[in-house]
Amino acid sequence: MTTATGRQLAGPLSAAVANLCVSLQPQVSPETAAGFREVLRRLSAPLQVAIAGRIKSGKSTLVNALIGRRVAPTAVGECTRLVTRFQYGTVDRIEVIFTDGRKQVLPFDAAGMIPASLGVDVDEVSHIEAYLTNAVLRDLTVIDTPGLGSLDAASVARTEALLGAAGDLDPVSRNAVAGAEAVLYVVTQGVRADDHQALAAFTAATASREAGPVNAIAVLNKADTIAPESVDGSDGDTWKAALLIAEKQAQILKPRVADVLPVIGLVAESAETGGFTSADADALRRIAELDAATLDMMLMSADLFTSWECEVPAGVRAGLMERLDLYGVRCALTALAAEPAITAGALRRKLLDSSGLDGVRAKLNAVFRVRADGIKAAAALASVTALAQASGDAGERQRVHNAIEVLLAKPEAHQLRLLEALTLVTSGAVAMPPDLVEEVLRVGGTPHVPDQLGLRGRPLPELTAYALERAGWWRSFASFGATPAQSRVAHVVHRAYFLIWQQLRGGGQR
Ligand SMILES: Nc1nc2c(ncn2[C@@H]2O[C@H](COP(=O)(O)OP(=O)(O)OP(=O)(O)O)[C@@H](O)[C@H]2O)c(=O)[nH]1
Ligand SMILES: [Mg+2]
């Protein structure tokens, strides 16, 4: 199904919810119908991913790395206090959106970035829309946010208001700002229990449904700054230490995010946006040729690296520190030692490999892009439900409610119920024994049947038999031994297995 905007919907679930909105439109009040139009518009837009996290955790740096262009201001400037939505457009353009609905078009600055100073009263700004021609944005809108947990309450409030499908937003501003549908949460080494709270607060404000492993992942950024000697089992290796810490954080953040992956945003940004140049490669080549004692001394600290007497100008070295930091410089020097004739392009590739960005991209793909249909449809359905609830007309509320029930009863929409159940279980809203949580996560977490059953590569008869057995088990669990809340979830899981069984028996694995 293609919508009025000409964009393809993410898949059959989105199409089902879009059809529901279209068919309900003539039966509801003008206000609700306007809300439905907004839901339809959002359904046909690319998946909205917010980059969230504490202040100065490296969110904007990561945004630049993901888009492949240094466009979001980092470190300083008033724009780091504003929400910026980076979306696909046919020409590069910046629009400042004011809280009263006014828009003002601004040029990019000389370096091609959002200007550090907008020349407008920031207190009157709702957010910034940045349209870029970069292909990555065709199926992902990236939303850069000011740091949560910052002392600046105003920017936190702005973030929450913008990212949430905040109930107190009037329809006009709701038109301007689509809620985030998925979250990339940026943490650094010091994630503690109270960071968990920051995440919970953020997710509560994210779209109208809770974030969970279906639509949230986390990265452990600034992995280069981890001191490996402080991490048991790291063998003095920074990346290994980062992997160990990420694993620990995954335990803390587990019910909220699918995974925690280490990344070095700074090195990724420099490698992906042209920040790392052939002049940098040449400078590193000359540094690599210094005698070992000098090199050892220089690599002790960023200060020594730039201030030590050496033939490469201090300004050039300071630039290297800024773009790669000590860890990136060390990686590059290691690569040069192993292969002195390495080209600047190959060196850039090595840096990219060392940054962990490929892993983050793969995860984004596996968690968000592949499930975009389910994520978008679930968010849209939640909005439809909220719109109906907000309606003062009981008859209208009932009509919308009935239509949703009819939709959810269809086999093809069952995936939505399953996502809902998964979110309830993994967020702890419905308590379940850990092994059952794992099972719900498996069945609801992937669209691929053998993986849903945890039996990848096994023969069809085995899959079929197992699906039937688990369908039976969950049905009896639903009827006996479960609390009412568990029972509702169990019915959904039972039906999921039953539908899998039907599909397998009908001959194919998807
Ligand atoms: N060493 C190191 N520094 C990093 C890394 N990522 C970001 N930085 C630096 O951290 C500082 C903050 O980065 P930003 O990307 O502006 O962080 P932010 O989370 O967007 O900050 P706010 O928007 O102000 O909350 C900048 O000086 C970056 O260069 C990293 O992986 N390693
Ligand atoms: Mg920022």
Side-chain angles (χ1 to χ4, degrees), residues 447-462:
H448 187 239
V449 167
D451 288 343
Q452 282 181 295
L453 300 175
L455 296 174
R456 182 189 288 210
R458 305 300 266 278
L460 185 60
E462 189 182 335

Side-chain angles (χ1 to χ4, degrees), residues 49-51 60 78-86 94-97 114 118 122 125-130 142-148 154-164 176-178 180 202:
V49 180
I51 316 294
S60 303
E78 61 195 17
C79 289
T80 74
R81 307 264 57 80
L82 294 172
V83 171
T84 309
R85 292 163 35 87
F86 294 95
I94 306 170
E95 272 177 12
V96 179
I97 314 291
I114 298 195
L118 297 175
V122 175
V125 175
S126 155
H127 67 288
I128 299 174
E129 300 273 1
V142 179
I143 308 171
D144 191 11
T145 70
L148 291 167
S155 36
V156 173
R158 267 202 294 267
T159 307
E160 285 176 353
L162 278 158
L163 294 179
V177 272
F202 173 78

Side-chain angles (χ1 to χ4, degrees), residues 51-64 70 72-77 79-82 144-148 150 186 188 220-225 263-269 321-327 355:
I51 316 294
R54 278 179 186 262
I55 188 158
K56 297 281 169 255
S57 52
K59 299 175 294 296
S60 303
T61 306
L62 214 52
V63 164
N64 292 334
R70 204 168 138 66
T74 55
V76 288
C79 289
T80 74
R81 307 264 57 80
L82 294 172
D144 191 11
T145 70
L148 291 167
S150 71
V186 183
T188 49
L220 166 62
N221 193 30
K222 306 197 183 184
D224 59 319
T225 61
V263 71
I264 305 171
L266 182 65
V267 172
E269 181 193 49
M321 263 312 111
E322 206 175 282
R323 287 188 282 282
L324 301 175
D325 215 334
L326 260 188
Y327 183 87
S355 75

Side-chain angles (χ1 to χ4, degrees), residues 258-422:
D259 210 347
V260 182
L261 298 174
V263 71
I264 305 171
L266 182 65
V267 172
E269 181 193 49
S270 297
E272 279 299 78
T273 63
F276 178 75
T277 61
S278 56
D280 288 333
D282 289 341
L284 283 163
R285 215 180 293 282
R286 283 161 65 200
I287 293 169
E289 284 161 4
L290 297 173
D291 66 274
T294 308
L295 251 185
D296 277 352
M297 185 54 87
M298 283 174 65
L299 290 174
M300 299 274 280
S301 76
D303 273 351
L304 282 170
F305 183 81
T306 42
S307 62
W308 199 257
E309 278 299 317
C310 142
E311 62 182 74
V312 177
V316 172
R317 284 180 274 153
L320 285 172
M321 263 312 111
E322 206 175 282
R323 287 188 282 282
L324 301 175
D325 215 334
L326 260 188
Y327 183 87
V329 167
R330 282 203 197 102
C331 281
L333 291 175
T334 307
L336 278 159
E339 194 187 342
I342 191 170
T343 63
L347 197 52
R348 184 199 71 85
R349 181 69 233 182
K350 289 260 185 222
L351 286 167
L352 183 61
D353 290 346
S354 76
S355 75
L357 187 70
D358 282 345
V360 175
R361 284 222 176 97
K363 199 76 194 180
L364 280 172
N365 214 21
V367 176
F368 295 163
R369 223 179 282 219
V370 169
R371 292 186 196 147
D373 186 31
I375 296 174
K376 291 193 74 75
L381 208 52
S383 301
V384 170
T385 307
L387 283 165
Q389 262 157 15
S391 154
D393 176 344
E396 172 176 315
R397 212 158 37 225
Q398 195 57 48
R399 277 195 295 282
V400 175
H401 188 78
N402 293 347
I404 292 175
E405 284 306 308
V406 169
L407 172 80
L408 288 176
K410 292 181 183 164
E412 62 270 27
H414 184 260
Q415 186 66 20
L416 286 175
R417 271 208 203 275
L418 194 54
L419 286 175
E420 198 58 49
L422 188 152

